[in-house]
Amino acid sequence: TFGTLPAAEPPAQRIVSSAPSITEMLYALGLGDRVVGVTTFCHYPPEVLSKPEIGTYTHPNFEVILEQRPDLVVVLKEQRELEGKLRKFGLPVLALQHNTLEGIYDSLLALGERAGAAQAAQARIAVMRKQLGEIGALAAPVPKRSVMFVVGRTPATVRDLVVVGHGSFLNELISIAGGTNCFEDAPAFYPRIPREEVYDRRPEVIIDMGDMGDTQQVSEEHRRSIVEVWKSQSMLPAVQAGRVYPVAEDFFVVPGPRVVEAARSLLAMIHPEVVR
């Protein structure tokens, strides 16, 4: 007699998300009504604000997760301690990693498969690939501009700079949008660099979200103050050309379905001349 095939897992119905990127993916796949727990940093889409909070990304509250009676907890592979704890209690866990564009597509697919929404995931990925291709086509005919994307620094100064390096999805998006990342040769995703390095690399475009503590509450005055900070570095081509852009949108730091919006925004800053 032939052995029986293992029964397929039923689609997850009560899902807890441990990161903003995971939450955005679940909603993008039409699974928002199955989400029973999110982190305090999950702001998008606005409907998540009414969901039970399980704590922060770095300090999730294990008891609150258990209270939600999830049949799936989705974590990032970096959250090894949480993953181990959840598995010890016999909770089903899906661990994802999406630092790159391909990783984002893989995560959408893995989520779709676990929740019975594989077709929705494939359709979403196809649309994202097409839209990013269109953005790349707009940027392709014009010469690339060198870009420095600042994700951290000491407020009100050009010190302790943390920038986008090699390997992150933002590095890929800069390239799609017709830029060359000044620090793409840095081995880390987000390296800390000395200020002298900026003078050596001479970026033609500076995009700065370096002192945005809370991306939800950023005033125009704050944005203007960031441009003023860079005016002291008048020897940089980006400053001379007036291409210093303060940004606060969280889609720049959440690797999820809104990377298309991030790419569009990057194109408008790096090559405003090609944006229709």
Side-chain angles (χ1 to χ4, degrees):
T1 58
F2 294 105
T4 54
L5 290 168
E9 260 181 313
Q13 300 297 328
R14 296 183 60 79
I15 306 171
V16 165
S17 162
S18 72
S21 56
I22 294 164
T23 301
E24 290 194 19
M25 287 180 184
L26 287 164
Y27 273 84
L29 297 180
L31 302 168
D33 58 338
R34 301 194 208 172
V35 175
V36 295
V38 298
T39 75
T40 51
F41 295 132
C42 294
H43 304 300
Y44 187 89
E47 301 93 276
V48 305
L49 301 176
S50 61
K51 297 285 183 179
E53 288 184 358
I54 61 156
T56 65
Y57 165 76
T58 46
H59 294 96
N61 187 317
F62 190 65
E63 286 70 29
V64 175
I65 293 174
L66 288 177
E67 280 168 18
Q68 305 314 313
R69 297 175 288 105
D71 56 12
L72 183 64
V73 183
V74 189
V75 302
L76 295 177
K77 284 187 177 169
E78 294 89 335
Q79 295 172 299
R80 290 188 189 90
E81 194 181 333
L82 174 63
E83 184 186 349
K85 216 170 178 183
L86 292 164
R87 291 193 190 282
K88 209 162 72 177
F89 272 76
L91 287 174
V93 181
L94 176 61
L96 304 175
Q97 190 162 36
H98 36 258
N99 303 315
T100 64
L101 287 179
E102 282 304 321
I104 291 168
Y105 302 144
D106 290 346
S107 289
L108 281 164
L109 210 48
L111 273 176
E113 284 168 356
R114 280 297 287 270
Q119 275 184 307
Q122 286 163 346
R124 186 67 192 228
I125 292 162
V127 168
M128 288 170 69
R129 286 187 188 276
K130 179 173 177 286
Q131 290 173 327
L132 288 174
E134 287 165 357
I135 292 164
L138 284 174
V142 289
K144 284 185 175 280
R145 287 195 173 120
S146 62
V147 178
M148 177 175 70
F149 196 124
V150 180
V151 292
R153 61 176 171 75
T154 302
T157 70
V158 183
R159 285 206 304 269
D160 300 317
L161 293 167
V162 179
V163 299
V164 171
H166 175 76
S168 81
F169 73 99
L170 269 176
N171 184 57
E172 295 175 85
L173 293 182
I174 288 168
S175 180
I176 288 168
T180 304
N181 179 5
C182 282
F183 293 96
E184 71 178 343
D185 58 340
F189 286 160
Y190 300 104
R192 188 177 293 276
I193 55 145
R195 187 165 53 178
E196 295 68 37
E197 277 287 312
V198 183
Y199 304 147
D200 289 345
R201 309 278 174 129
R202 297 179 59 74
E204 296 170 276
V205 180
I206 295 172
I207 301 168
D208 187 344
M209 68 183 309
D211 67 355
M212 303 296 183
D214 178 3
T215 56
Q216 301 297 295
Q217 307 287 331
V218 178
S219 66
E220 280 309 307
E221 191 182 347
H222 188 162
R223 290 174 188 262
R224 280 196 298 271
S225 73
I226 289 168
V227 176
E228 288 302 316
V229 164
W230 284 102
K231 279 185 180 171
S232 64
Q233 312 300 311
S234 57
M235 73 296 293
L236 296 176
V239 178
Q240 291 165 0
R243 291 200 198 98
V244 176
Y245 301 100
V247 296
E249 291 76 15
D250 59 356
F251 53 60
F252 288 117
V253 287
V254 177
R258 290 191 294 158
V259 292
V260 173
E261 287 178 56
R264 278 200 194 103
S265 187
L266 286 168
L267 179 67
M269 291 183 279
I270 299 169
H271 290 294
E273 69 276 15
V274 303
V275 178
R276 292 165 188 161

